[in-house]
Amino acid sequence: MKNAFKIIAVSALLAGATAVFAQNGPAAAPQNVLQLSASGTVEVQQDLLVLTLAATKEAPEAAAVQAQLQQALDAALAEARRAAQPQQMDVRTGAFGMYPRHGKDGKIAGWQGRAELVLQGRDFARITGTAGRIQGMTISQIAFDLSRETRAKVEGEAQARAIEAFKARAAELARGFGFAGYTLREVAVHSNEMAPGPRPRIMAMEAKAASLAADAPVPVEAGKAQVAVTISGSVQLR
């Protein structure tokens, strides 16, 4: 009799487990789900100039090189700070490093070092004019970018275009497949920036610096950048 009760209890447990497994089993694959993506692009004039000045020094001793670089950098900073203005021309130091020069015998024959000063902002004339007045450092690199405010504004415009393009394409595809409309399931937003055609010029100016007047601004011309936002995701056709 006790064995009969045990068999009945085990059977009940197995039945319950089977029911739970059936309820928690893998869900059916979604039907009529469409994957798609759309992009919005806005072209804008680059409004940020990043100009790098550099000084290179050599000496038999590392301490002498460091002292010479520090002197050149201090003088350049003093000149640049007089013209600095938030967002229009910000001043910061760049790379500063030294390394040994080896002779034919493999021993250290001297030291060489390089220090950089970076002028960055939206006032191109102020930046190039300041660079032309700085003595002891030459222009090593010029590049262009978008300011934070411009980038945020343009990304918002590109995102709005991408959303409208995504909605229009989803509606068009839904009609093409014979559905009345769709509902959103999930979306992902990605943004990036690119310069059409040749990349913005990065110019090695040291060879030309000697021919420039001390107070003459360096001629610069910014290009355009394209800010693109891509929206990808899935919709439920209905």
Side-chain angles (χ1 to χ4, degrees):
M1 190 69 178
K2 291 181 179 180
N3 289 336
F5 282 123
K6 289 181 180 180
I7 293 173
I8 292 172
V10 171
S11 299
L13 288 172
L14 289 174
T18 302
V20 171
F21 180 78
Q23 291 176 0
N24 297 333
Q31 301 294 318
N32 302 325
V33 174
L34 180 66
Q35 303 281 344
L36 71 153
S37 65
S39 298
T41 303
V42 176
E43 187 174 77
V44 63
Q45 186 77 25
Q46 293 169 317
D47 64 342
L48 190 70
L49 171 62
V50 183
L51 186 150
T52 303
L53 295 150
T56 302
K57 302 294 182 181
E58 294 185 13
E61 301 295 333
V65 174
Q66 182 173 334
Q68 292 175 27
L69 289 176
Q70 190 64 51
Q71 183 179 4
L73 189 57
D74 286 344
L77 277 169
E79 178 66 38
R81 284 169 178 161
R82 283 195 285 268
Q85 186 175 348
Q87 297 185 358
Q88 301 307 308
M89 190 186 85
D90 295 310
V91 179
R92 61 181 172 86
T93 55
F96 188 109
M98 297 187 299
Y99 53 91
R101 291 187 294 106
H102 294 85
K104 295 180 180 180
D105 57 0
K107 296 181 180 180
I108 295 177
W111 289 80
Q112 185 172 22
R114 176 184 171 92
E116 292 181 348
L117 178 67
V118 181
L119 310 180
Q120 175 178 312
R122 294 184 292 193
D123 190 336
F124 291 11
R126 180 186 296 266
I127 293 171
T128 56
T130 301
R133 292 191 300 272
I134 290 177
Q135 302 295 315
M137 301 189 85
T138 54
I139 298 172
S140 66
Q141 183 170 291
I142 294 177
F144 301 94
D145 203 349
L146 296 178
S147 65
R148 184 181 304 176
E149 296 79 9
T150 299
R151 188 186 305 277
K153 177 183 177 182
V154 174
E155 280 188 355
E157 295 175 1
Q159 179 175 289
R161 294 185 183 184
I163 291 173
E164 291 304 315
F166 185 94
K167 290 162 60 178
R169 190 175 183 202
E172 180 183 0
L173 289 171
R175 290 192 300 269
F177 283 108
F179 291 85
Y182 67 91
T183 55
L184 282 175
R185 287 176 58 89
E186 59 182 20
V187 294
V189 180
H190 307 279
S191 62
N192 62 77
E193 178 191 337
M194 55 186 174
R199 297 292 297 174
R201 288 192 303 170
I202 298 178
M203 303 164 55
M205 298 290 293
E206 294 177 354
K208 297 182 180 180
S211 64
L212 295 173
D215 58 349
V218 178
V220 295
E221 183 178 354
K224 291 186 177 181
Q226 290 183 343
V227 176
V229 173
T230 300
I231 296 181
S232 58
S234 61
V235 297
Q236 179 71 57
L237 302 178
R238 55 178 178 78

